[in-house]
Amino acid sequence: MTFSELDYRDKVSRLVSWGHWFTFANALIAMAVALGFVFVAGIPDTILAQLFLVIYWAGHFSFITFIIFLVLLFPLAFILTKPLIMQIASAVLASIGVSLLIADLLFFNAYRLHLNLFAFELALSPEGGLLDLELWQAGALFSGLFIVELIIGMWLWRRPTRSTTRKWARTTAAALTVSFFLSHFIHVWADALFYTPITSQQHYFPLSYPATAKTFLREHGWVDVDKYAKEFREQTLSNKTLEYGKSKLPLQAPQSRPNVLLIVIESWRSDMLNEEATPNLHQLAQSGLNYKNHFSGGNNPQEGLFSLLYGIPATYMDNIKRTHTPPVISSAFESANYQQVAFTSSRKLGETLSDTAFSKFDIVQGGDPALGNAANDTNIVRNWRKWVKSRDMQTPYFAVVGFSSPSNFATPTSYNSPFQPDFEGVHLFSDTDLLDQVQLSNRYKNSLHYVDSLIPQVLAPLTKDASLEHTLVIVTSDHGMQLSDKNSNHWGYNSNYSSYQTQVPLIYVAPDVGASEITKLTSHYDLSAQLIKQLYGSNIDTKALTSGIALVSDGVHPWLFLGNDKYFAILETDRLTELKMSGQYKIYTRQNKRDREARLRVTPMREVLEELRRFYGNSQ
């Protein structure tokens, strides 16, 4: 081996050793910055959760910095053998890393989210970034960090390494390694036992993906996951951060107490409110307000009903379920001494919302689900008419009547279906390649036509007892239905946020409101705001109670939020932006055509992120 080779190996060895110390120094810097995430998210209440937080904080950021060393600094030691060049390059990389961590902390403080691909694009947008950080401020931050990193690097290079220092370093490295693995083992346990004080911390830090193993533990019989899941669902957790429902309703008595009848027809898309498919509903729409540009808050039954009754995005749904928080409008009706009753033939109600949205309701089921949706919808009408006949005429009511036939394309066997050709026995998601679009569309129209034939039977007893003139009648749907429109090969719902799956009819008939077609952008969020104003007067401010704007008002939505916290869309007057929290996004025109040239807009994105945290306390 030549002298030059020995010299090269000695340089590389010393640079690698220096890189370890430089990485350790940056791990300490990252951990110091990361304390900000803890203060923003809040320190957990239990001692066990606090202990986990300390272990996870130390293990997570030491692991990330070690990976950066392994991927970047270690290879550079073999290329940049001159110490000064290596120190400068390392200082640049470290400054970039710490700058990104600080930017993520600022973003997390503002929106309770971590940076991702679309956030970076917005930050570089000509409109201005999401962090309100001027270019000179970002430059000054980076420059300051670079100087500090370079000083640290030079000092570490000149600092002699003693045997006691090496022993201390090995002990510290071992402790951090144990912290990393121990934190993941603890999270596996907490996740299996649904111990939320620990599992809720998984979103505290960036690049945080703690281990889970519920399936593995269940298969080996080590933990009764189903038992703990049941206990978790049944217990009422007090969540101090959820502010929805805590704003007090007005103390004054309601100005008016009309009956409210809300009819929800599952899977009824907007263009199916017409004289052919739904003649009775079309006629009803002529006697009230017909909202032509109305959207559900989601593309599936759960998110649609949630947005309709709660008036806030479905991103809050998990927290609402955990705290068993009822809708503000339901609490308002309760305080006004309304009777609340729901008539449904859908199992979706009992599975998802009976303990929350309908917790203050008397629930009347349509019958045995084995009978089919069409038969149960007939039973719904029968139960409704029986209830109207026996109710206390002196007590106003808020009634929800739900029909589910269109969601399964169902009609009674004996029903005279007007749309042909038609076929029975649709299995919507079994084999879409074999579905005939014309026949499927006719089957869907026939199911809507059948439900439409039930509407006069619903309204008839109100006309008979003269209570219809004191009743608000609202008819809408939970979401739409896509039928491979324009040969898209998209069927049903819950697959995208196109207008076929999210735009739904809304008919609003009230004694004090005339007939008109409304073309402004409206949402399910608006119903709760409208009903609260109907009870307490138009001067009440509903902003603290709902994300909506009263339907009968001059207010206009610049955008609407559709979806949940993992996959959602921002609907604007001229386009639709679908996003995933991982950062991918697609932009479409209002005609549902992909616009590959369009880019994200800062203002609606900023406002959406603010709305998604508005009903949380400062600690969330």
Side-chain angles (χ1 to χ4, degrees):
M1 185 176 294
T2 65
F3 178 81
S4 60
E5 289 174 332
L6 287 171
D7 186 55
Y8 173 78
R9 291 183 61 178
D10 181 65
K11 286 182 178 179
V12 170
S13 176
R14 189 178 176 192
L15 285 172
V16 170
S17 176
W18 170 87
H20 283 105
W21 285 105
F22 187 74
T23 300
F24 177 69
N26 276 277
L28 296 179
I29 294 173
M31 291 165 65
V33 174
L35 288 174
F37 293 103
V38 176
F39 291 123
V40 171
I43 298 175
D45 294 330
T46 67
I47 295 177
L48 183 58
Q50 293 169 2
L51 178 62
F52 170 81
L53 178 60
V54 173
I55 295 172
Y56 191 44
W57 162 74
H60 181 68
F61 286 98
S62 59
F63 177 77
I64 289 177
T65 51
F66 172 73
I67 292 298
I68 293 174
F69 163 78
L70 206 61
V71 173
L72 297 176
L73 296 190
F74 183 73
L76 280 178
F78 292 87
I79 301 171
L80 306 177
T81 56
K82 291 188 176 182
L84 182 59
I85 296 177
M86 179 64 178
Q87 292 163 19
I88 293 174
S90 300
V92 169
L93 293 174
S95 300
I96 293 173
V98 177
S99 296
L100 290 175
L101 185 60
I102 293 173
D104 187 82
L105 174 58
L106 295 174
F107 193 74
F108 185 77
N109 181 55
Y111 306 107
R112 299 306 187 269
L113 296 170
H114 294 289
L115 289 173
N116 49 36
L117 294 177
F118 67 75
F120 278 117
E121 180 170 329
L122 288 170
L124 299 174
S125 168
E127 298 178 58
L130 287 173
L131 298 176
D132 290 327
L133 199 63
E134 297 291 340
L135 184 61
W136 70 268
Q137 293 174 317
L141 173 64
F142 181 83
S143 299
L145 287 172
F146 174 74
I147 293 172
V148 171
E149 293 284 358
L150 191 58
I151 292 172
I152 291 174
M154 290 179 172
W155 178 77
L156 289 173
W157 182 259
R158 292 177 173 82
R159 178 178 175 272
T161 304
R162 302 181 179 89
S163 59
T164 53
T165 305
R166 291 194 185 97
K167 184 178 179 180
W168 173 83
R170 284 194 294 267
T171 303
T172 303
L176 293 175
T177 303
V178 170
S179 296
F180 173 75
F181 287 105
L182 181 60
S183 65
H184 284 271
F185 282 127
I186 293 175
H187 191 271
V188 166
W189 167 83
D191 182 64
L193 272 60
F194 294 85
Y195 188 66
T196 53
I198 285 179
T199 57
S200 62
Q201 296 180 38
Q202 62 181 311
H203 302 301
Y204 276 24
F205 303 132
L207 303 176
S208 173
Y209 306 101
T212 59
K214 281 199 289 281
T215 302
F216 177 82
L217 295 173
R218 179 190 289 114
E219 290 176 351
H220 287 77
W222 293 346
V223 174
D224 189 347
V225 174
D226 296 328
K227 171 189 173 184
Y228 287 109
K230 182 179 179 181
E231 291 178 357
F232 173 74
R233 286 192 297 267
E234 290 177 351
Q235 68 179 334
T236 302
L237 302 177
S238 59
N239 191 316
K240 298 180 180 179
T241 61
L242 184 65
E243 294 298 321
Y244 176 84
K246 293 184 179 179
S247 297
K248 294 183 178 180
L249 292 165
L251 296 177
Q252 72 267 26
Q255 295 187 1
S256 64
R257 297 203 307 164
N259 301 318
V260 179
L261 171 59
L262 173 61
I263 301 174
V264 181
I265 302 172
E266 290 187 28
S267 307
W268 182 27
R269 55 189 265 176
S270 180
D271 59 353
M272 289 298 167
L273 174 57
N274 56 58
E275 200 168 2
E276 292 75 30
T278 52
N280 293 305
L281 287 166
H282 182 265
Q283 183 178 0
L284 180 65
Q286 309 308 306
S287 62
L289 300 179
N290 182 6
Y291 291 84
K292 307 289 287 185
N293 198 18
H294 185 82
F295 286 81
S296 170
N299 60 2
N300 60 65
Q302 191 172 0
E303 293 171 6
L305 275 176
F306 183 89
S307 61
L308 182 66
L309 296 172
Y310 279 90
I312 58 176
T315 54
Y316 295 97
M317 190 186 305
D318 287 344
N319 230 321
I320 290 289
K321 287 181 179 179
R322 286 200 297 267
T323 56
H324 294 263
T325 303
V328 166
I329 186 58
S330 182
S331 299
F333 281 126
E334 182 183 48
S335 66
N337 297 318
Y338 271 66
Q339 182 176 0
Q340 300 183 69
V341 58
F343 300 83
T344 177
S345 62
S346 174
R347 285 179 294 179
K348 299 185 185 77
L349 175 63
E351 292 170 354
T352 61
L353 296 173
S354 60
D355 293 335
T356 53
F358 292 97
S359 61
K360 298 180 182 295
F361 283 69
D362 297 324
I363 298 178
V364 182
Q365 293 287 350
D368 185 356
L371 296 176
N373 297 77
N376 281 322
D377 281 351
T378 302
N379 290 336
I380 285 290
V381 176
R382 185 181 300 113
N383 292 338
W384 159 255
R385 292 169 67 92
K386 181 180 178 180
W387 180 84
V388 170
K389 186 176 180 179
S390 62
R391 76 179 185 87
D392 180 6
M393 294 291 290
Q394 303 303 314
T395 304
Y397 63 81
F398 174 38
V400 179
V401 177
F403 295 113
S404 59
S405 292
S407 65
N408 290 302
F409 292 39
T411 57
T413 306
S414 59
Y415 190 69
N416 184 20
S417 300
F419 298 97
Q420 299 296 330
D422 184 15
F423 59 83
E424 297 288 343
V426 173
H427 298 286
L428 188 56
F429 302 107
S430 58
D431 192 347
T432 55
D433 292 335
L434 300 178
L435 295 178
D436 181 278
Q437 188 172 3
V438 174
Q439 287 183 307
L440 186 63
S441 178
N442 286 339
R443 174 107 292 272
Y444 175 61
K445 291 177 183 177
N446 286 328
S447 68
L448 284 170
H449 193 274
Y450 160 63
V451 171
D452 180 80
S453 70
L454 302 177
I455 299 302
Q457 300 177 50
V458 173
L459 299 180
L462 305 184
T463 303
K464 184 177 180 180
D465 65 13
S467 64
L468 186 60
E469 61 187 39
H470 304 293
T471 303
L472 303 180
V473 179
I474 305 159
V475 191
T476 188
S477 180
D478 50 356
H479 57 82
M481 175 69 74
Q482 193 161 5
L483 304 169
S484 191
D485 301 87
K486 298 181 180 179
N487 298 314
S488 65
N489 201 32
H490 285 285
W491 303 86
Y493 53 85
N494 201 28
S495 61
N496 61 61
Y497 292 103
S498 67
S499 59
Y500 306 116
Q501 297 191 28
T502 57
Q503 188 171 0
V504 297
L506 178 68
I507 302 169
Y508 184 86
V509 181
D512 57 344
V513 175
S516 179
E517 286 191 355
I518 310 298
T519 58
K520 70 176 182 177
L521 194 63
T522 57
S523 167
H524 273 4
Y525 305 134
D526 302 334
L527 179 61
S528 59
Q530 176 62 34
L531 293 179
I532 290 172
K533 284 183 177 289
Q534 184 73 39
L535 279 176
Y536 294 102
S538 58
N539 292 329
I540 182 175
D541 184 8
T542 60
K543 185 174 177 59
L545 305 172
T546 172
S547 296
I549 300 172
L551 290 166
V552 186
S553 71
D554 296 329
V556 178
H557 288 285
W559 51 263
L560 294 176
F561 177 89
L562 316 175
N564 53 64
D565 56 357
K566 296 180 179 63
Y567 173 47
F568 62 92
I570 302 173
L571 177 68
E572 299 173 75
T573 56
D574 61 337
R575 68 181 198 170
L576 174 81
T577 305
E578 291 186 356
L579 305 102
K580 295 181 179 179
M581 290 312 297
S582 56
Q584 300 95 331
Y585 70 90
K586 295 178 181 179
I587 298 177
Y588 299 86
T589 67
R590 285 297 299 272
Q591 290 72 41
N592 300 304
K593 293 181 179 180
R594 178 80 180 273
D595 187 350
R596 298 183 181 275
E597 302 298 323
R599 291 293 177 263
L600 293 174
R601 293 171 178 166
V602 171
T603 300
M605 179 60 70
R606 181 196 299 272
E607 293 173 350
V608 163
L609 293 175
E610 290 173 349
E611 185 63 25
L612 297 186
R613 61 166 294 202
R614 186 164 66 87
F615 291 99
Y616 288 122
N618 293 330
S619 63
Q620 178 66 18

